[in-house]
């Protein structure tokens, strides 16, 4: 599913590693939902914090509820200044790095578990 | 005893990620609701449809009654409109999955055109396929440009979980790559691969005598796909030729198309109507469509 911020989230490196972990379909689904939802809430937090005017917040949420990929969403944020796109990019990148740390650990666990078998 | 390594499933790496990512998600979500909970309660009072908050692990933390109500209303609205199409088609589509007669094609074409507000027919510009009602099977993703891979097809982790398992076809589609390079790859190319179908162009009457003309006709030709049992409909484009006659299937759909017509599960196979869309100005977007309510644009 595409969102207005999808171009800021480099998801390929995350799913390449998930693919290596021999997950069942339901396990893939669960972890994928957690990851996507984490990015979603993080971006929404920063976006709503960026909008001071309640009417801007209302418009933003209204558009988001109809189409989360609507380009107007980023336009609204950018119109309020302060290089919001870079701020979002930095935040999602940090979250992605944290996820990668856990993926790295998961790979080690898998390797250790395989050796024990 | 290290409780961090007391795993519940046979997959310890999954258990690790489940614990860690759940905790991380909880932190992010709690932080969000702490800062914006009051705003969201006010902003979404009028309707909560479409907000991902409702469908996240752990569920929304605000207004559970409204969440349940909005979800049930949205689900009901979605079901109502697709059911309308299924009801409209009932009696016109034969129970047996066989080629339609000309009068049947004409009648069904008119129903689809009216209900979906687009010009739909079994033949277009004097060209028709061998049939317009048949069994669709699931296809794999197609390489879109040199260097493409199945992971690049996903916009999100959920896309990968849902559509990744289909894999990617070893060869190219009938028209080759969708773009000559990653730099030249556009959103339009992306949508074309996402919503593609493979049809039996080679069984189309007159194909052998007019290969060039038919190739040009079928290249990314828009076709409406409808599951007559559920009313689920999707605008697709022809990006491959097949399947072979001996497979017992009459056309193939991308993983996203199969999901859109409700045939992604189980045997990934089922009956669909497939009609040409007359859209010379390329105005009708690819992807799922819904029945138009009276007076609705």
């Amino acid at each position: 599913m595409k969102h207005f911020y999808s171009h800021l989230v480099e998801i390929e490196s995350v799913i390449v590693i998930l693919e290596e972990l021999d997950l069942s379909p339901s396990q893939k689904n669960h972890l994928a939902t957690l990851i996507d939802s984490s990015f979603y809430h993080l971006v929404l937090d920063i976006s709503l914090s960026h909008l001071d005017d309640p009417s801007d917040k209302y418009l933003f949420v209204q558009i988001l509820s109809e189409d989360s990929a609507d380009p107007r969403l980023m336009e609204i944020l950018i119109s309020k200044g302060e290089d919001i796109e870079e701020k979002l990019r930095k935040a999602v990148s940090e979250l992605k790095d944290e996820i990668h740390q856990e993926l790295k650990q998961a790979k080690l666990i898998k390797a250790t578990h395989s050796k024990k078998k | 005893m290290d409780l961090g390594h007391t795993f519940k499933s046979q997959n310890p790496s999954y258990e690790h990620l489940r614990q860690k990512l759940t905790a991380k998600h909880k932190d992010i979500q709690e932080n969000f609701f702490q800062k914006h909970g009051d705003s969201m309660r006010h902003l979404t009072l009028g309707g909560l449809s479409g907000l991902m908050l409702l469908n996240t692990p752990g569920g929304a933390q605000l207004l559970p009654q409204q969440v349940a109500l909005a979800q049930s209303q949205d689900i009901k609205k979605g079901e109502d409109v697709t059911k309308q199409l299924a009801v409209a088609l009932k009696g016109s589509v034969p129970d047996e999955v066989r080629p339609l007669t000309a009068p049947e094609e004409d009648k069904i074409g008119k129903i689809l055109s009216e209900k979906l507000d687009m010009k739909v027919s079994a033949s277009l510009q004097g060209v028709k396929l061998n049939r317009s009602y048949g069994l669709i099977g699931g296809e794999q993703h197609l390489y879109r440009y040199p260097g493409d891979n199945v992971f690049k097809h996903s916009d999100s982790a959920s896309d990968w979980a849902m559509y990744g398992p289909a894999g990617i076809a070893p060869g190219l589609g009938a028209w080759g790559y969708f773009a000559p390079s990653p730099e030249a790859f556009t959103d339009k190319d992306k949508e074309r691969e996402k919503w593609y179908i493979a049809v039996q162009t080679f069984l189309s009457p007159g194909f052998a005598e007019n290969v060039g003309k038919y190739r040009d006709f079928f290249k990314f030709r828009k076709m409406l796909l409808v599951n007559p049992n559920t009313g689920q409909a999707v605008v697709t484009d022809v990006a491959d030729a097949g399947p072979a006659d001996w497979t017992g299937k009459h056309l193939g759909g991308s993983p996203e198309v199969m999901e859109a017509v409700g045939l992604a599960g189980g045997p990934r196979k089922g009956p669909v109507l497939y009609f040409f869309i007359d859209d010379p100005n390329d105005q009708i977007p690819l992807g799922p469509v819904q029945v138009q309510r009276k007076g609705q644009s």
Side-chain angles (χ1 to χ4, degrees):
Chain A
M1 187 179 182
K2 197 170 177 181
H3 298 290
F4 71 94
Y5 56 85
S6 290
H7 63 291
L8 302 174
V9 182
E10 187 277 304
I11 201 70
E12 187 184 341
S13 59
V14 170
I15 60 184
V16 163
I17 299 175
L18 284 170
E19 187 70 41
E20 295 170 12
L21 297 175
D22 299 328
L23 301 168
S24 70
S26 62
Q27 289 170 345
K28 278 184 186 177
N29 218 37
H30 186 212
L31 295 180
T33 306
L34 283 169
I35 290 168
D36 286 342
S37 182
S38 295
F39 280 116
Y40 182 87
H41 283 88
L42 177 66
V43 168
L44 204 53
D45 172 20
I46 296 171
S47 300
L48 290 179
S49 298
H50 187 63
L51 301 170
D52 292 325
D53 191 335
S55 62
D56 288 334
K57 284 190 209 274
Y58 181 83
L59 178 63
F60 187 87
V61 171
Q62 188 76 14
I63 296 172
L64 184 73
S65 71
E66 288 165 9
D67 180 6
S68 65
D70 195 319
R72 287 179 295 167
L73 291 164
M74 191 58 81
E75 285 168 15
I76 290 170
L77 294 174
I78 290 172
S79 72
K80 303 303 167 190
E82 206 210 300
D83 205 0
I84 182 66
E85 220 170 356
E86 189 49 38
K87 196 172 175 182
L88 287 170
R89 196 188 303 273
K90 189 163 175 277
V92 302
S93 178
E94 283 171 8
L95 176 56
K96 194 184 75 171
D97 288 343
E98 289 168 23
I99 291 171
H100 267 291
Q101 286 302 314
E102 302 306 341
L103 289 172
K104 193 174 166 185
Q105 188 64 21
K107 276 181 76 172
L108 281 170
I109 292 170
K110 180 186 175 209
T112 310
H113 189 69
S114 301
K115 274 187 193 160
K116 282 182 184 170
K117 276 191 173 173
Chain B
M1 185 183 201
D2 183 356
L3 290 176
H5 286 79
T6 304
F7 299 112
K8 292 179 187 171
S9 76
Q10 294 298 314
N11 192 332
S13 48
Y14 164 71
E15 283 302 326
H16 169 81
L17 287 173
R18 186 182 63 77
Q19 287 171 27
K20 294 294 183 182
L21 295 182
T22 299
K24 194 172 299 291
H25 177 260
K26 186 168 177 273
D27 284 345
I28 293 172
Q29 205 175 36
E30 279 178 358
N31 177 59
F32 172 82
F33 282 112
Q34 206 166 34
K35 287 162 72 177
H36 307 287
D38 286 342
S39 298
M40 292 304 293
R41 195 176 281 115
H42 172 70
L43 292 171
T44 59
L45 211 55
L48 297 163
S49 66
L51 283 179
M52 193 175 169
L53 294 167
L54 305 181
N55 299 309
T56 57
Q61 314 222 350
L62 300 173
L63 309 171
Q65 311 92 310
Q66 282 182 302
V67 167
L69 180 63
Q71 281 182 319
S72 68
Q73 281 175 341
D74 282 348
I75 288 167
K76 193 168 186 305
K77 188 165 76 175
E79 280 178 354
D80 281 346
V81 292
T82 54
K83 259 189 195 158
Q84 278 181 36
L85 188 56
V87 165
L89 288 169
K90 201 173 173 60
S92 301
V93 178
D95 292 334
E96 182 197 350
V97 184
R98 56 160 174 79
L100 300 172
T101 63
E104 285 171 337
E105 285 179 334
D106 196 44
K107 186 177 182 188
I108 291 168
K110 286 191 169 103
I111 292 170
L112 295 176
S113 297
E114 188 209 312
K115 288 292 181 190
L116 300 177
D117 197 28
M118 55 178 81
K119 279 191 204 167
V120 158
S121 57
S123 71
L124 185 65
Q125 297 172 17
V127 178
K128 65 181 298 184
L129 285 163
N130 55 327
R131 53 196 296 160
S132 51
Y133 179 43
L135 289 172
I136 190 170
E139 299 282 352
Q140 296 179 296
H141 293 284
L142 293 174
Y143 286 111
R144 302 167 302 175
Y145 50 80
D148 191 17
N149 63 50
V150 72
F151 303 110
K152 293 187 197 302
H153 285 238
S154 304
D155 285 322
S156 65
S158 299
D159 278 355
W160 159 78
M162 191 174 290
Y163 304 120
I168 196 160
L172 302 181
W175 324 127
Y177 288 118
F178 290 73
S181 67
E183 294 75 31
F185 182 65
T186 63
D187 282 346
K188 186 170 185 165
D189 297 322
K190 186 176 182 179
E191 291 295 288
R192 277 176 167 168
E193 189 280 337
K194 191 173 179 181
W195 304 110
Y196 91 87
I197 56 172
V199 295
Q200 294 170 322
T201 53
F202 44 88
L203 295 179
S204 182
F207 175 82
E209 299 85 1
N210 300 284
V211 174
K213 175 190 164 189
Y214 276 49
R215 185 189 190 278
D216 291 342
F217 173 85
F218 279 113
K219 188 174 180 180
F220 302 129
R221 175 64 53 185
K222 281 185 188 162
M223 296 199 74
L224 178 72
L225 214 70
V226 178
N227 181 335
N229 296 319
T230 63
Q232 286 162 295
V234 57
V235 175
T236 69
D237 65 285
V238 178
D240 206 4
D245 209 13
W246 56 262
T247 62
K249 288 176 274 189
H250 308 108
L251 70 163
S254 71
E256 289 87 345
V257 162
M258 295 302 283
E259 177 70 28
V261 291
L263 295 171
R268 293 182 75 217
K269 182 175 160 180
V272 292
L273 296 160
Y274 45 115
F275 280 58
F276 295 112
I277 300 173
D278 189 4
D279 181 28
N281 297 322
D282 193 18
Q283 290 185 319
I284 298 172
L286 296 169
V289 286
Q290 284 197 342
V291 174
Q292 296 294 318
R293 290 186 193 281
K294 290 247 184 279
Q296 184 181 22
S297 60

